Amino acid sequence: MTTAEHDVYLCCREAEDPAMVSEVADGLTRLGFRVVVAGREPGAAEGPGRLAAIERAPDFVLLSSPALSVSPGSGPDPRAADFAHAFKTKRNIVVLADPAHADPLASAAPPGRPRLAAWQQVAYDPARSRESIALVGHRLFSSSEVEDRRLMRTVKRAAVAVALMIAVGVALRAVPAAVDYWNRPKAPQPLPRFAVYWTADGQRLQDGQWKGFPVSDGSIVAGGDQIRMAFSPGSDGYAYVVLRDALGGISLAYPGVTLRGASRVRAGTVYQVPGNDRWLTVDPQSGLAAIYLFAGHEPLENLEELLDEPDGGVRPAARLELLTSTLAGLLDGKHGAAPRPIRTRGGREIVDGLAPASPPEGWPSGLEGRPAGANRPAVQTGLLSAVVEMRLQPTPQ
């Protein structure tokens, strides 16, 4: 097995809900982690073997959900010893707990044990399990301790490799091997903060003629109004335009194709929504409450779920929950102080000093009669992602 960028020891009861254990293990694996489940690694079923497995993995995730067959007389919980050893060896600890299950081991500060920080606790929602697992992965990726341990592992591997190279060179008097080692591939190129340029315009039928107006946060719109948007990313990445109506309904305006990968965008390219000189018409019954533009270096799992499921495949409340959780997470990350360095899942560092691509020349005019390029785009920036939120007001009666 190829050594992964991060390793995780998944601590669970033998009688833990097997569906939860498998789902968490599979989800973290998809995010790029190499996962070891307690008791399933060869030689790790007994106490010493489990403790050794914990020491080999810098990340430690404790699972807590209602056990299927644990009785009061079944003996001590093996997770307690694992958890204590994780604290002792200073593992990077995250607790994924079902709030409906009262588990003393998963509490924030039980007697005789160090207190868990708020970022180390993640609520597990069986109905939104992918979101819970993605949040665990984000917490592990964002921890500076994980980056420090990864650096130490890299240094140790490099030291061993150098020693072997010197031994082989002395024995065989072969210098080319050492030259090949020092000419190994360089680290991935860093990336700038993500930036997205955008404009939005509308038109309204008045006295038999369409009259244009700019659209921004707080604009007034009415049923029958027509709206369109243009955006361009400052880096290659992924983008989504989501509409929320006044009744809580959620629809995906970009990408218009329900296919994974369709959300990819290129720096310097202008994307128009809905495109082909068409307009989005505001429904007189449901109205239009908000427009959201999400863009970033990496795809957003919550919004990719909207791509996986057609409009009729997900309950309206669930679609609204996906949007709300994504928006809250991005806004929280925008205002929070993230530990440095910040890296993408592929290991590329986000560097403040790098400049994103400039907005393209010849920006769409947007409104009738306005020359191309006269519609100056606004810009929104972030670290890994940027979000534009336009909350709209109905026409006063």
Side-chain angles (χ1 to χ4, degrees), residues 2-42:
T2 303
T3 302
E5 184 171 323
H6 298 80
D7 296 321
V8 177
Y9 181 89
L10 200 59
C11 180
C12 57
R13 295 188 188 92
E14 305 301 332
E16 197 82 51
D17 182 351
M20 176 185 179
V21 176
S22 297
E23 192 166 20
V24 174
D26 292 344
L28 291 177
T29 300
R30 287 196 302 271
L31 292 175
F33 295 88
R34 186 175 66 178
V35 180
V36 176
V37 180
R40 296 187 185 176
E41 187 182 48

Side-chain angles (χ1 to χ4, degrees), residues 1-376:
M1 179 183 293
T2 303
T3 302
E5 184 171 323
H6 298 80
D7 296 321
V8 177
Y9 181 89
L10 200 59
C11 180
C12 57
R13 295 188 188 92
E14 305 301 332
E16 197 82 51
D17 182 351
M20 176 185 179
V21 176
S22 297
E23 192 166 20
V24 174
D26 292 344
L28 291 177
T29 300
R30 287 196 302 271
L31 292 175
F33 295 88
R34 186 175 66 178
V35 180
V36 176
V37 180
R40 296 187 185 176
E41 187 182 48
E46 301 300 327
R50 292 170 71 114
L51 300 185
I54 292 171
E55 295 176 11
R56 288 194 297 270
D59 299 333
F60 182 96
V61 176
L62 175 72
L63 295 186
S64 175
S65 70
L68 300 182
S69 59
V70 174
S71 60
S74 59
D77 187 343
R79 299 177 306 154
D82 290 357
F83 205 17
H85 195 66
F87 276 106
K88 180 180 178 181
T89 56
K90 297 182 179 181
R91 302 296 92 185
N92 187 50
I93 298 172
V94 171
V95 175
L96 180 60
D98 187 340
H101 171 51
D103 184 359
L105 195 61
S107 61
R113 195 195 72 196
R115 182 181 181 85
L116 287 171
W119 70 268
Q120 293 178 282
Q121 304 169 67
V122 177
Y124 177 75
D125 182 358
R128 300 255 59 86
S129 58
R130 290 185 64 180
E131 179 182 337
S132 302
I133 297 167
L135 185 55
V136 171
H138 174 73
R139 299 284 171 85
L140 295 178
F141 275 122
S142 302
S143 171
S144 60
E145 294 182 5
V146 173
E147 299 299 334
D148 294 342
R149 292 195 184 98
R150 186 179 63 173
L151 178 61
M152 290 304 298
R153 292 201 306 272
T154 303
V155 171
K156 290 179 180 178
R157 293 191 188 107
V160 171
V162 170
L164 290 175
M165 296 286 290
I166 293 175
V168 171
V170 171
L172 302 179
R173 301 179 183 276
V175 176
V179 175
D180 291 341
Y181 173 77
W182 293 112
N183 289 334
R184 64 191 184 280
K186 297 181 179 179
Q189 290 294 318
L191 293 169
R193 284 171 170 258
F194 200 89
V196 60
Y197 307 97
W198 65 277
T199 56
D201 298 286
Q203 61 179 9
R204 181 175 297 144
L205 192 61
Q206 294 180 344
D207 300 326
Q209 293 185 339
W210 288 102
K211 295 187 177 180
F213 60 92
V215 176
S216 60
D217 190 31
S219 294
I220 297 175
V221 297
D225 287 354
Q226 295 184 334
I227 294 175
R228 64 187 177 189
M229 188 176 194
F231 69 89
S232 178
S235 305
D236 293 349
Y238 301 79
Y240 315 82
V241 176
V242 182
L243 309 179
R244 175 170 63 85
D245 63 39
L247 303 179
I250 299 298
S251 59
L252 195 65
Y254 184 89
V257 179
T258 56
L259 180 69
R260 284 204 179 241
S263 58
R264 288 182 179 273
V265 289
R266 297 294 182 186
T269 301
V270 178
Y271 298 85
Q272 299 190 52
V273 182
N276 298 325
D277 294 325
R278 294 182 291 118
W279 295 80
L280 295 167
T281 301
V282 179
D283 186 270
Q285 300 298 321
S286 58
L288 183 60
I291 303 173
Y292 304 97
L293 167 60
F294 300 92
H297 290 295
E298 298 171 334
L300 298 174
E301 283 202 0
N302 286 6
L303 299 183
E304 290 290 326
E305 286 192 30
L306 293 182
L307 289 177
D308 284 342
E309 298 285 353
D311 288 351
V314 179
R315 293 180 296 104
R319 296 174 73 88
L320 181 59
E321 182 183 351
L322 283 173
L323 173 65
T324 302
S325 61
T326 301
L327 183 64
L330 291 178
L331 291 179
D332 181 64
K334 176 181 176 182
H335 299 296
R340 298 305 177 103
I342 303 296
R343 299 183 188 275
T344 66
R345 294 175 190 170
R348 301 182 71 177
E349 183 178 354
I350 307 300
V351 176
D352 290 332
L354 295 180
S358 302
E361 298 290 337
W363 193 271
S365 61
L367 302 178
E368 284 296 327
R370 183 184 294 177
N375 198 18
R376 294 178 62 84

